[in-house]
């Protein structure tokens, strides 16, 4: 790696949002480590990026639903030269709670929660030691919704939101930036894989992955720790946080609230 070029590691890099991150980061001066299950797609993308940019591009095929896959990626991060981590890999296994395929649920949670947590922990250790670095964790706009059939996936992304916000608190003063990115509906194959279709969404609700990534990178420049690209007024997020604080301050007292007292 050229010392002037920081290295970014992108998971789920073979298509969609991850591919868009890889393209934008390569064009803006990063060397890359591309992670996904599909080695052939990674090799094709790597060749394209090497030709189009000055980036060194390393391909790391790994299934983040397996211990071996997660271990391979954390070992790569533990080398200490990852300056930018994009935790993009994830998918949706949907179904009403009474009808859930529990094996499919467990497999999804392994990727969406366990893998993201382990990769984040590895990156935080390395970056904190160097007092610099950036971590972007992909969440979902469904964290603000209660949708039948979405309990497992929605809960996994609520975990990502909570985990990332705790990371942000711990990163304060360390020189490490941690971004929570909250996409809405993005024009990728995510929905087809989850058994849905982009045709079910009005066009005005569907964002292109390049626009999402540009917003994320711009939010980093603006020092906005939570990026909700579709949100017109960031004060709405501030109000959400303020409402949390109102509940938090009264969430633990020595007596139940008056409404629970007998008549």
């Amino acid at each position: 790696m050229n010392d002037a070029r920081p290295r970014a590691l992108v998971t789920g890099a073979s298509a969609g949002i991850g591919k868009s991150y890889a393209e934008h980061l390569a064009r803006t001066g990063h060397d890359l480590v591309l992670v996904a299950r599909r080695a052939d797609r990674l090799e094709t993308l790597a060749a394209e990026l090497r030709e189009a940019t000055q980036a060194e591009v390393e391909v790391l095929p790994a299934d983040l639903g397996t211990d071996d896959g997660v271990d391979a990626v954390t070992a790569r991060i533990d080398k200490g030269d990852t300056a930018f981590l994009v935790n993009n890999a994830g998918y949706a296994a949907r179904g009403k709670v009474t009808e859930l395929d529990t094996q499919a649920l467990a497999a999804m949670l392994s990727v969406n929660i366990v893998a993201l947590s382990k990769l984040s922990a590895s990156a935080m250790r390395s970056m904190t030691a160097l007092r610099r670095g950036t971590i972007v964790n992909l969440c979902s706009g469904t964290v603000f919704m209660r949708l039948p059939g979405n309990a497992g996936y929605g809960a996994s992304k609520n975990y990502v939101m909570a985990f990332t916000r705790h990371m942000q608190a711990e990163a304060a003063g360390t020189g490490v930036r941690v971004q929570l990115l909250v996409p809405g509906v993005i024009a990728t194959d995510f929905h087809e894989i989850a058994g849905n279709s982009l045709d079910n969404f009005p066009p005005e609700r569907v964002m292109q992955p390049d626009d999402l990534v540009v917003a994320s990178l711009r939010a980093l420049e603006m020092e906005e720790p939570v990026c909700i690209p579709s949100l017109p007024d960031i004060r709405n997020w501030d109000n959400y946080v303020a409402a949390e604080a109102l509940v938090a301050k009264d969430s633990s007292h020595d007596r139940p609230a008056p409404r629970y007292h007998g008549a």
Side-chain angles (χ1 to χ4, degrees):
M1 179 182 70
N2 186 328
D3 288 343
R5 295 179 64 93
R7 190 180 303 277
L9 188 149
V10 182
T11 69
S14 61
I17 295 170
K19 181 173 182 285
S20 183
Y21 264 111
E23 292 168 343
H24 280 273
L25 290 169
R27 288 198 298 266
T28 55
H30 292 77
D31 290 328
L32 297 172
V33 180
L34 305 180
V35 177
R37 292 177 300 162
R38 296 169 286 195
D40 56 338
R41 290 196 182 187
L42 290 180
E43 293 289 359
T44 298
L45 176 59
E48 293 171 354
L49 294 177
R50 292 183 191 114
E51 182 176 353
T53 72
Q54 298 301 309
E56 292 181 7
V57 185
E58 178 182 337
V59 168
L60 177 52
D63 182 351
L64 293 179
T66 68
D67 290 341
D68 287 346
V70 173
D71 288 347
V73 180
T74 54
R76 183 63 189 82
I77 296 171
D78 287 343
K79 289 185 177 181
D81 62 350
T82 299
F84 198 122
L85 170 65
V86 181
N87 268 317
N88 166 68
Y91 68 97
R94 292 197 170 102
K96 292 184 178 179
V97 173
T98 55
E99 303 165 359
L100 275 175
D101 178 335
T102 54
Q103 289 186 326
L105 174 66
M108 178 191 68
L109 298 179
S110 291
V111 177
N112 293 8
I113 292 178
V114 178
L116 177 140
S117 301
K118 289 184 176 180
L119 270 56
S120 294
S122 177
M124 280 283 280
R125 284 192 294 269
S126 297
M127 293 176 183
T128 300
L130 295 172
R131 300 197 65 78
R132 64 179 182 274
T134 300
I135 300 169
V136 176
N137 285 343
L138 273 286
C139 191
S140 166
T142 61
V143 297
F144 305 118
M145 307 170 193
R146 303 296 173 262
L147 305 172
N150 201 53
Y153 177 71
S156 77
K157 290 303 182 178
N158 271 276
Y159 174 93
V160 172
M161 180 164 72
F163 189 83
T164 305
R165 292 175 70 192
H166 282 80
M167 287 175 62
Q168 290 171 341
E170 294 175 10
T174 67
V176 179
R177 301 182 299 179
V178 180
Q179 181 188 89
L180 176 67
L181 176 60
V182 189
V185 181
I186 308 299
T188 71
D189 63 0
F190 172 92
H191 304 281
E192 283 70 23
I193 293 171
N196 201 347
S197 172
L198 284 171
D199 295 337
N200 293 328
F201 300 96
E204 64 271 17
R205 287 192 58 202
V206 181
M207 184 178 291
Q208 296 301 312
D210 277 354
D211 291 331
L212 173 75
V213 171
V214 168
S216 166
L217 299 177
R218 177 64 180 134
L220 288 169
E221 293 174 356
M222 296 168 64
E223 299 184 351
E224 223 178 67
V226 178
C227 177
I228 309 174
S230 294
L231 189 67
D233 191 340
I234 194 62
R235 287 176 296 184
N236 290 339
W237 168 258
D238 296 336
N239 291 338
Y240 179 90
V241 175
E244 280 187 324
L246 287 176
V247 175
K249 75 181 181 65
D250 286 323
S251 63
S252 181
H253 292 299
D254 62 343
R255 293 173 60 82
R259 70 179 179 280
Y260 297 122
H261 297 175

